[in-house]
Amino acid sequence: MSSPPNFSVSIVLPTCDRAEITRRCLDALAAQTFPDLEIIVVDDGSRDETPAMLEAFAAEHPDLRLVVLRNETNRGANESRNRGVQAAGGDLVAFLDSDCIAEPDWIEQLVAGFSDPSVGAVTGLVLDPPPRSIYDLTFRGTHRVAKAGPARRLVAGNLCVRREPLLACMWAEDGQRPPKRADGQPDVSFSGACDEESLAIDLAAAGWTLLARPEAVVLHEHHYDRRSFFRQAYHGGRAAADFVRRHRLPHRLDMIPFMLAWGTLPPAAAAAAFLGGWPLLVPAAFLGLAIAAITYNDLALKGKTAGETLRSFPVLLAYYHVRLLGYLRIMLQPRRPRRAPG
């Protein structure tokens, strides 16, 4: 396929303690069909073999334009992305997570979306590997782009942005951080949350169009066990609430029916003692609305079959209740001011 002329691209790849999968990610980037590429790896304080792996990779690919930056201490994905942006020389800056394997024409497909000068950011399709557990099946499709055309959201692990508006917006650095492991390193067993939503809001507010191109495909090689799955739910809820409060947005649509169901249950139960069981229909209706919404999301947006949705539904319902707990924990805390990037 032909690409718009005169675009150069910098790929920013933050990583931490993921030497093996980061190597496979880099191998895929080295095989990209797009001719004018710069790859910027930001090692966010890794304590595993990542530094040695990066040195070996650079030696094996002397013709590749590879820049390796290292944070001496872990600073988080967004601060690492911003450091990569500051070092980038491309007209466009692409972002990829270190556990994502890009198709050979990934950059070509993303760049093709910038033929319209009003487009400020292009996001692509994130596929999931075959599930190994019920937790993989439940989470599958969460990062899926539903259709081509104007995008309502961006996906941090498959994204390309014009450098000029990106420098004006940058990635928000004041969101919820993932918890630490016992050794003090970040727990990378689950993904971050809301990383890209502040960026999408800022770009749209500046008048840029956001575009989805499902032809730009990456495989997200990330698996969940019970612990990482529910930690994802809880900390994802915390991050969602923090995002809502910082931007003074309405409550998240996925949280409202659950909050209404459990919020109306105590008064409905008290009223039922005097009026019979019919007041309990109110929280039951809100819970039914919540169930209908997450079922629609699984079938229509995540692309699951009815059988897959039915199999994973009990775990999905538990996921949303754990997410609600994290969401409410932040909502009940005092507000904190938003910090500018850098």
Side-chain angles (χ1 to χ4, degrees), residues 182-219:
D183 63 359
Q185 284 292 87
D187 187 344
V188 296
S189 62
F190 58 89
S191 304
C194 299
D195 290 338
E196 57 280 275
E197 292 194 50
S198 291
L199 181 62
I201 285 177
D202 291 341
L203 288 171
W208 292 97
T209 298
L210 312 180
L211 188 69
R213 277 187 63 85
E215 300 90 345
V217 179
V218 303
L219 175 67

Side-chain angles (χ1 to χ4, degrees), residues 136 199 287 292 307 328:
D136 282 351
L199 181 62
L287 183 59
L328 293 176

Side-chain angles (χ1 to χ4, degrees), residues 200-260:
I201 285 177
D202 291 341
L203 288 171
W208 292 97
T209 298
L210 312 180
L211 188 69
R213 277 187 63 85
E215 300 90 345
V217 179
V218 303
L219 175 67
H220 185 210
E221 289 197 358
H222 196 103
H223 293 279
Y224 291 92
D225 57 19
R226 181 174 61 183
R227 178 178 179 274
S228 61
F229 178 81
F230 285 112
R231 283 168 75 82
Q232 172 76 40
Y234 179 73
H235 290 285
R238 289 173 61 92
D242 186 69
F243 171 78
V244 164
R245 284 159 57 92
R246 284 186 292 115
H247 289 277
R248 302 186 181 276
L249 299 172
H251 281 298
R252 304 288 285 212
L253 288 176
D254 61 339
M255 293 289 96
I256 291 174
F258 287 104
M259 289 192 295
L260 290 173

Side-chain angles (χ1 to χ4, degrees), residues 1 24 34 47 67 75 77 85 90 111 120 123-124 180 311 316:
M1 61 175 290
R24 298 204 300 275
F34 191 83
R47 296 183 188 174
V67 177
R75 293 164 56 181
V85 170
V111 170
T123 196
K180 303 288 185 180
R311 275 186 59 203
L316 182 65

Side-chain angles (χ1 to χ4, degrees), residues 272-283:
F274 300 98
L275 303 175
W278 70 263
L280 294 173
L281 293 176
V282 175

Side-chain angles (χ1 to χ4, degrees), residues 11-170:
I11 302 172
V12 173
L13 178 71
T15 189
C16 180
D17 289 347
R18 284 174 167 173
E20 182 180 349
I21 183 61
T22 301
R23 174 60 199 244
R24 298 204 300 275
C25 175
L26 287 170
D27 286 339
L29 294 182
Q32 288 294 301
T33 57
F34 191 83
D36 193 359
L37 279 181
E38 172 188 51
I39 301 173
I40 301 172
V41 181
V42 184
D43 179 4
D44 195 17
S46 294
R47 296 183 188 174
D48 65 354
E49 299 80 20
T50 296
M53 180 277 295
L54 292 172
E55 185 176 349
F57 180 83
E60 294 169 18
H61 298 272
D63 297 329
L64 198 64
R65 292 166 56 199
L66 178 67
V67 177
V68 176
L69 307 175
R70 177 171 171 82
N71 300 332
E72 292 305 317
T73 59
N74 182 265
R75 293 164 56 181
N78 281 1
E79 288 194 37
S80 297
R81 290 178 180 125
N82 283 341
R83 187 179 180 192
V85 170
Q86 294 288 357
D91 304 307
L92 307 175
V93 182
F95 298 94
L96 187 68
D97 287 349
S98 58
D99 56 358
C100 289
I101 310 300
E103 290 292 315
D105 66 343
W106 172 60
I107 288 293
E108 261 195 282
Q109 293 288 355
L110 286 175
V111 170
F114 291 94
S115 57
D116 183 341
S118 70
V119 172
V122 179
T123 196
L125 175 63
V126 178
L127 299 178
D128 297 292
R132 296 178 181 173
S133 68
I134 190 64
Y135 306 106
D136 282 351
L137 177 61
T138 304
F139 203 76
R140 186 167 68 82
T142 299
H143 303 296
R144 180 173 177 265
V145 176
K147 60 181 180 178
R152 294 183 299 174
R153 66 186 184 105
L154 301 175
V155 180
N158 187 348
L159 176 64
C160 194
V161 187
R162 291 185 191 269
R163 186 170 183 270
E164 182 180 351
L166 180 60
L167 287 171
C169 297
M170 301 295 277

Side-chain angles (χ1 to χ4, degrees), residues 304-325:
K304 292 181 185 175
T305 67
E308 289 171 336
T309 297
L310 187 61
R311 275 186 59 203
S312 61
F313 187 79
V315 179
L316 182 65
L317 197 58
Y319 173 91
Y320 272 97
H321 280 88
V322 174
R323 180 176 170 86
L324 177 64
L325 177 62

